[in-house]
Amino acid sequence: MNDNMSPARGRVQIADPFWSEYIRLVREVMVPYQWEALNDRIAGAEPSHAIRNFKIAAGREEGEFYGMVFQDSDVSKWLEAVAYLLETARDPALEDIADEVVDLLAAAQREDGYLNTYFMLKEPGQEWSNLAECHELYCAGHLIEAATAYYRATGKRKLLDLASRYADYIADVFGTEPGKLQGYDGHQEIELALVKLFHATGEEKYLQLSRYFLNQRGSEPHYFEQEWEKRGRTLHFPQLSMVHDHQYSQSHLPVREQTTAEGHAVRMVYMCTAMADIALETGDEAMLAACRKLWENIVNKRMYVTGGIGSMEQGESFTADYDLPPDLAYAETCASVGLIFFARRMLALEHNSKYADVMERALYNTVISGMSLDGTKFFYVNPLEVYPEVLGKNKNYNHVKAVRQGWFTCACCPPNVSRLLASLGDYIYSAQGDTLYVELYIGGRTEMIVGGVPVAVEQFSSYTSDGKVRLVVEPERAGKFTVALRLPDWCQEVRVTMNGESRVYHTGNADGYIHLTREWSSGDTVELCFAMPVTRVKGHPHIRQTFSKVALQRGPFVYCLEEADNGKRLYQLRLPSESEYTLAEEPGFPKGIKTISVAGERIQPEAGWGEELYASGSAWSSRKQELKFIPYFTWANRGEGEMSVWVGEEHKK
């Protein structure tokens, strides 16, 4: 990001009644747990072999490569999460482990800079022969991201220099010049990573290499088809269509001509993130226009109410506008992480609260739903409805799990959650010129430059429980600037009190923020009280699967019904069109997080149905039942059972 638009990276200390526990879980549970998983020391979990692959490549152990072709990336994402943790709190023991991993990577790296254990161990000599399927550039990108984060956190250059050598080698291999490969990655990732490397080193060549990969995508003749012919028409993943289905990898059109979100959801939003980066750094208006169109298509036509994206298991992909089945939802955790990356970059390009609203929706719902409350189990897939009786029997639901898993053969999601939560401070504030934007209401302290004045901001937040926030602004010297407060899309009213004087807002400025422009002095205090009623959310009329149904939301949290509270056959439950809600806390759930109880109905057949599968003339009856809703992110922490976000709404005549 340029100097005029920079988040307070590395300078946010989170102290929040909700999020501090998640940061603690990342530091004390998730990162250590994932380190054990990477070393194959978790009983009953899928083996990783990722660290051992590097040891074999470095000549420290004997053996063969094991795992997915992108197994290396799990180590890089773990290192990146560690870097963010070290940036906010020194931890010599953790840093020593990370340094040992860096030494291991350096020992495994080839003299020419190449580093990929799959090709070094399993297919030596076949490097860059299957870009469509084999994730070499994807793994390189995650290595680069880890390197830039670790350098920022520790000042140590070893990993950064290693990654730079690899990037230099890639620049020698790829390009439009004679003798170079004119290809691009099957799974976008290196593009956004190269922009980070440009920021870390100041080397323009990395920015241009990122731009090359984006510009080359979708060109004719199609590179993936050419390399497939060249290697004898072999496939690494024959069950997928990575080579011939060009929409799968968003290589069906040049990136500036793409207007709808197609194909693999994670690849899509990673690509969009890089496109936004390039638009910001180069002023590429056509790239920005494409970013806007793709954003609008995703958010307005292809996103779940939880901020999940990618509705189909086949290809982990987008399907069609308004095709959002709750029970078949894929909604990969990684895809929502990537959506947050994209949203953050769009905020850098043009400040509008709609981007931060989606960032918040994905964060508070799908991302943290991807991990258990104790931080040791994970969802890869985040459905909005689960009926355990069909799982394992109907193959259409093979991707759906009713309980979180300890680890995965394809373990991309757990370390992705770790690195996002460990870097959460990067998403709370933005400073642009003489305006300080508050994007997320998360407690903690930060320092930044606003309008040329060093400013410290301390935020005290109970946003997740009662919608209250207090900001203490401490400029180094008195000065005129603006503090812009995001008015969340779920909130219709907020009371803002400035140094004791109050005003109620129902809308923000055109950009969705409440702008407070004044001469600020040290100790100036802003208090916010967001109205947090329980609201009913309806899907667009074209979403056939949710028609005549509603979902409940309170604050940033989407809610769901769970069998543990409401019994089996959740599909029989109905919510009257007018209701009063009771809020309560649930033992074992995060402190301050409320459940919602409401009088409802259960629709049942009258007695005497018998064994008939179908019958005529049968009547239905209803009985009153209290319905209990829990925040979606908390489901599946109390055993296996049914779950549903959407519930039928009864309309009285």
Side-chain angles (χ1 to χ4, degrees), residues 165-295:
R165 285 196 301 275
Y166 196 1
D168 292 342
Y169 169 73
I170 292 169
D172 289 339
V173 171
F174 292 93
T176 57
E177 300 89 340
K180 290 188 175 183
L181 298 179
Q182 296 186 24
Y184 43 87
D185 51 331
H187 192 313
Q188 302 90 312
E189 156 64 20
I190 195 169
E191 298 92 341
L192 66 91
L194 285 167
V195 177
K196 290 186 175 183
L197 190 59
F198 159 67
H199 290 152
T201 65
E203 293 286 347
E204 182 81 16
K205 61 184 177 182
Y206 300 133
L207 183 66
Q208 296 309 318
L209 185 58
S210 172
R211 194 176 190 184
Y212 157 79
F213 282 127
L214 287 172
N215 286 341
Q216 200 68 13
R217 195 166 216 90
S219 57
E220 293 291 344
H222 201 282
Y223 188 82
F224 293 165
E225 300 283 354
Q226 290 180 309
E227 69 173 4
W228 175 67
E229 292 282 359
K230 186 176 180 180
R231 67 173 181 270
R233 300 189 171 189
T234 60
L235 294 174
H236 187 90
F237 293 106
Q239 72 275 24
L240 297 173
S241 301
M242 295 187 185
V243 172
H244 306 300
D245 180 1
H246 302 158
Q247 285 190 336
Y248 176 87
S249 57
Q250 299 81 39
S251 58
H252 57 298
L253 289 170
V255 295
R256 293 171 184 80
E257 297 177 19
Q258 296 186 32
T259 59
T260 58
E262 307 294 347
H264 189 274
V266 178
R267 298 171 200 232
M268 180 78 234
V269 286
Y270 278 20
M271 182 184 79
C272 289
T273 299
M275 290 169 63
D277 274 337
I278 293 299
L280 178 65
E281 296 295 339
T282 66
D284 189 327
E285 288 297 327
M287 193 78 84
L288 172 56
C291 287
R292 288 179 180 137
K293 289 176 182 176
L294 292 169
W295 174 271

Side-chain angles (χ1 to χ4, degrees), residues 57-71:
R60 296 182 182 181
E61 290 187 11
E62 297 292 326
E64 298 180 351
F65 178 91
Y66 174 88
M68 303 294 285
V69 69
F70 42 80
Q71 209 76 352

Side-chain angles (χ1 to χ4, degrees), residues 141-185:
H142 277 300
L143 178 63
I144 291 168
E145 284 203 88
T148 59
Y150 202 66
Y151 173 64
R152 192 182 86 178
T154 67
K156 297 176 180 178
R157 292 195 59 94
K158 188 170 187 175
L159 187 58
L160 184 68
D161 291 341
L162 179 159
S164 297
R165 285 196 301 275
Y166 196 1
D168 292 342
Y169 169 73
I170 292 169
D172 289 339
V173 171
F174 292 93
T176 57
E177 300 89 340
K180 290 188 175 183
L181 298 179
Q182 296 186 24
Y184 43 87
D185 51 331

Side-chain angles (χ1 to χ4, degrees), residues 17 108 125 169 239-240 250 256 267 339 351 359 389 397 462 512 518 522 524 530 533 542 597 613 618:
Y169 169 73
Q239 72 275 24
L240 297 173
Q250 299 81 39
R256 293 171 184 80
R267 298 171 200 232
L339 182 61
H351 238 101
M359 190 165 71
E389 291 183 23
Y397 297 96
S462 55
R518 66 189 307 276
S522 183
D524 281 345
F530 295 98
H542 292 171
S597 294
L613 187 56
S618 296

